[in-house]
Each structure stands twice: as structure tokens, then as C-alpha cells.
Amino acid sequence: MGRAFYEDDKLITTTPGLNAEISPVLKEQESAHGNISFVNGMSVRSAPYLEKYAEKLRLVLHETLSVASAEIGTQKSALVNEFANLKQKVTDIVQEPVVPQLINVVGPVLLTSVVVAHRSLPVRFVATTFVGGACVKYYMPRTYAEAKTRLLLTEKVHFQQSQRVRADVLAQLDAFQSDARAFGNRAGNDLQQQIHQARKWLERVLED
């Protein structure tokens, strides 16, 4: 009679759920060795120099991005502050309603630019600037006065040489106007005196 399968093998009984620490030898065999990292539960080995330079690159990128982010935030904040300051300055300068008065200013300026379109660049610039300033002074006098005050204050603080030159030019213009006025008065008096003398001479001639 032939032998049955496993008939002469030793009886082996299993012990499920054995709650005991594994042996040191098995623990050493099953543990991770060397440069190993775990990504999504999988062990990944890499060379030491690769990890070294990868870490340096990560630090450099992190520092660069941090500096760039901080700089962008600073510039954004500065831009917002500058826009708020500019808006406040415009609000302080413009005293009259903008919508109806702006049309009265822009219309003559556009008409002037069309009239002097074929002139030289300095003529076009001076003509449009003069007409624009005159229209602002006529239609928006308070805005013109406020803008003039701020310009003079800015010139006094930041452009002192320009202020001195402008003061000298204005003084020369005042002196020229005074001389012209005095000359006109003298010319008028001389003309009246000559007319008076001519009348007397004519009266004497007619009497004779």
C-alpha cells in the first residue's frame, strides 16, 4: 500500500496572532539601511551627493521665492499707497465739479490743437498749454488757485534755483512794465503839451 501525501511529515500547528517582539536578527534584516526615503509608502534610495545638492537647490529656491514674494508684496503695498496719495491730492486740488467744467476746458484745447496741427512742436505745445491754463483759470478758478499754490510750494521746496530765476524774470518784467508805463505817461504829456503849443501858435496865426 503506497504512502499518503504528508503522511510521514511532522505535525505542525500554527499560532496565529502571536503578540511578541521580533528577534533582533529579523529586525535588522527587515529594517531600512543607507540613504533611503519613503514616498507614498515606497522606499526610494538615492546617492548622498544627489541628496546634498537637491537640498541646497531646495533651500536656494525657497529663499529666492520668499524674497521675491516679499518684494512683490512690498511693491504692491507701495503702489496702493501711491495711488491713494495721488487720489487724495487730486481730490484736494480739484475744487469744482469735474463733469460739466471739464468739457469747457477740453473743448477749446482740442480746437486749439486742431488749429495749430501743422505748426512746429513748440508752437503746438505752448498754444495748447496756454489755452488750457486760461480755460482752467476762467472756468475752474478755485482749482487753478489751488494748483498754482501747490506748484509754487513745490518749486520753493525742491527747485529753489528755478524759483530764483522766475523771481528775477518777474522782477525784470515788472521793471519793464513800469518803464513802459512811465514812458507812455511822458509821451502822453509831451503830446498834450505839443498839441497845446500848436493850438496857441495856430491862434496867434489866425489873430494876425
Side-chain angles (χ1 to χ4, degrees):
M1 181 178 179
R3 60 187 294 270
F5 193 63
Y6 293 134
E7 181 179 355
D8 297 332
D9 290 345
K10 182 180 178 181
L11 179 62
I12 299 175
T13 58
T14 60
T15 307
L18 181 62
N19 188 11
E21 186 178 0
I22 63 176
S23 63
V25 177
L26 182 59
K27 184 177 181 181
E28 179 66 22
Q29 293 176 354
E30 295 295 332
S31 62
H33 299 280
N35 298 291
I36 187 169
S37 301
F38 291 92
V39 179
N40 295 330
M42 298 182 295
S43 60
V44 178
R45 295 183 181 273
S46 60
Y49 68 90
L50 182 60
E51 288 193 355
K52 176 182 177 181
Y53 290 110
E55 181 67 15
K56 287 185 177 180
L57 179 61
R58 186 186 68 82
L59 293 176
V60 170
L61 289 177
H62 181 269
E63 183 178 359
T64 303
L65 292 177
S66 298
V67 172
S69 178
E71 186 66 23
I72 291 174
T74 302
Q75 295 299 326
K76 182 179 179 181
S77 178
L79 182 62
V80 171
N81 292 334
E82 289 296 332
F83 180 76
N85 293 333
L86 179 62
K87 183 179 179 181
Q88 185 63 37
K89 289 181 180 179
V90 172
T91 304
D92 294 339
I93 292 175
V94 179
Q95 302 292 330
E96 289 85 1
V98 177
V99 176
Q101 304 299 338
L102 189 61
I103 299 176
N104 297 328
V105 174
V106 174
V109 171
L110 293 178
L111 181 61
T112 304
S113 64
V114 172
V115 172
V116 297
H118 298 289
R119 301 288 183 177
S120 61
L121 181 61
V123 173
R124 285 182 288 175
F125 177 77
V126 172
T128 53
T129 303
F130 177 77
V131 172
C135 291
V136 171
K137 184 177 181 180
Y138 181 78
Y139 291 106
M140 306 173 71
R142 290 181 296 171
T143 300
Y144 179 83
E146 184 67 23
K148 181 179 179 180
T149 302
R150 289 179 178 268
L151 286 176
L152 293 178
L153 181 61
T154 303
E155 182 187 30
K156 181 179 180 180
V157 174
H158 300 287
F159 305 99
Q160 298 180 359
Q161 182 65 28
S162 175
Q163 183 188 16
R164 287 193 291 268
V165 172
R166 185 177 60 82
D168 294 339
V169 171
L170 291 178
Q172 293 177 3
L173 288 177
D174 291 339
F176 177 76
Q177 289 179 355
S178 299
D179 294 340
R181 193 178 298 111
F183 177 78
N185 293 332
R186 288 196 302 269
N189 294 332
D190 293 341
L191 180 61
Q192 290 179 0
Q193 187 176 3
Q194 290 178 2
I195 292 174
H196 182 68
Q197 292 177 357
R199 183 183 300 171
K200 285 185 176 181
W201 177 80
L202 184 60
E203 289 178 354
R204 287 196 302 268
V205 170
L206 292 176
E207 288 178 355
D208 295 340

